[in-house]
Structures are given as C-alpha cells and as structure tokens.
Amino acid sequence: MTPAELTLLGLLVEAPRHGYELEEVITARGLREWTEIGFSSIYYLLGRLRDRGLIAEAGSDGPARGKARKVFAPTPDGVRACARAAEEAVATLRPVFPPVLVGLANQPVIPPERLRAALARRAEALAAKIAEVRAAARPDAPPFVRVIFDYSLGQLEAEQRWLAAYRGEPDAPRREA
C-alpha cells in the first residue's frame, strides 16, 4: 500500500467521507507536509482502494452543484489492512535518498564560494520550513496529529544543527562522536 493510499484509508477509518471532504481534512491538518497526495489523485486513489475491496460506497452526501457526492467508508478488510500497513510503516526503517547527499558527494566540482552560497540558501530554506511547520502545527490537534509535526520539526531541526556545524558556525551545537 502506498503512503498516499494509507493516508486516505486512515482518514476513512476515522470517519466515512467523500473526496472533497478528504481534501479539506488533508489541507486542514497539513498532511501534505509529510505525504505526497495531490487533490487530483484523491479520486484515483479512492478507486484503487475500492477495487481492492478496502473501501465501499457508504451512501452519498447532499447534492453539490446538482450532483450528490459519493461517501466512502472502509470495509472490515480495509480496517485490518490499514492497521497492518500503519504498523509496518511505524516499525520499518526505510532508506531515504535526499538529493542533498548527491550534491554533497559531488561538492569537489562546486567552486568554494558557490558551495558557501548554496549552503546559505539551504540554511535559509530550512529556517523558513521550520517556521512554516511550526505555524501549521495546531496545539488543539489530536495527539497523533501533533506527533507528526513534532517528528517533522525534529528532522528539520537536526538538519539545521548539522548544517550549522558543517558550515563552521561558532554557535552550532557539536555532534558527539
């Protein structure tokens, strides 16, 4: 199950929803900060989940622009599949392949002044992203939602500390060997 499919299935396990409502929840919770799911792919993914027997139509919502919206809910198999996939996602360490590592592996070809400028741009982007995630994190969100933002902030702040140390900034915390 892809992360996008698991995200939608998990939202349907919470409550039956139609596609537009899923989009509203995804936006309100800032889910796009940590998973790749576009508005245009929601209905496609709902179809895939339905075809696999993990969700089913559970009625329709009142007419919207003259057309009723299909509401989907998980099947019993869908609830079980969601639990298994979520547990696997939590337990399994998977490699990530950030492009920054490819850039660092090739840094000898970058002139030193351009490398310093690129690292400075990255530091600025990290600071902006940290501010953005902090602003999106809602203190009134359920604990399982807040922990996602905490994880994201922890990752971003760890990179920020690493970058400061790599750039030789005097106030950068040093990593213990």
Side-chain angles (χ1 to χ4, degrees), residues 15-162:
R17 295 180 164 108
H18 55 74
Y20 186 74
E21 188 177 3
L22 287 164
E23 168 62 21
E24 289 174 337
V25 173
I26 288 165
T27 300
R29 290 190 189 169
L31 273 60
R32 288 195 178 91
E33 289 297 318
W34 49 267
T35 191
E36 293 179 309
I37 184 167
F39 177 71
S40 61
S41 64
I42 290 174
Y43 289 98
Y44 169 75
L45 293 170
L46 288 172
R48 286 178 50 123
L49 292 169
R50 184 196 60 229
D51 292 348
R52 289 171 36 210
L54 301 177
I55 64 171
E57 208 173 309
S60 62
D61 213 353
R65 293 184 222 141
K67 186 177 176 187
R69 294 181 176 150
K70 293 179 185 177
V71 174
F72 293 94
T75 63
D77 283 345
V79 173
R80 287 188 292 276
C82 183
R84 280 192 308 272
E87 181 180 354
E88 180 70 15
V90 168
T92 304
L93 187 61
R94 288 189 173 81
V96 288
F97 305 103
V100 67
L101 296 180
V102 175
L104 291 171
N106 288 286
Q107 67 182 318
V109 301
I110 305 171
E113 66 281 355
R114 292 187 57 98
L115 178 61
R116 281 191 295 279
L119 293 170
R121 288 193 312 272
R122 187 168 192 91
E124 290 171 10
L126 274 169
K129 189 63 168 179
I130 288 168
E132 181 184 319
V133 172
R134 281 190 179 134
R138 305 222 191 299
D140 59 335
F144 72 93
V145 173
R146 287 194 314 263
V147 75
I148 293 164
F149 285 96
D150 290 346
Y151 178 86
S152 296
L153 282 170
Q155 295 289 308
L156 291 165
E157 290 167 346
E159 182 174 345
Q160 190 177 48
R161 287 189 301 275
W162 167 84

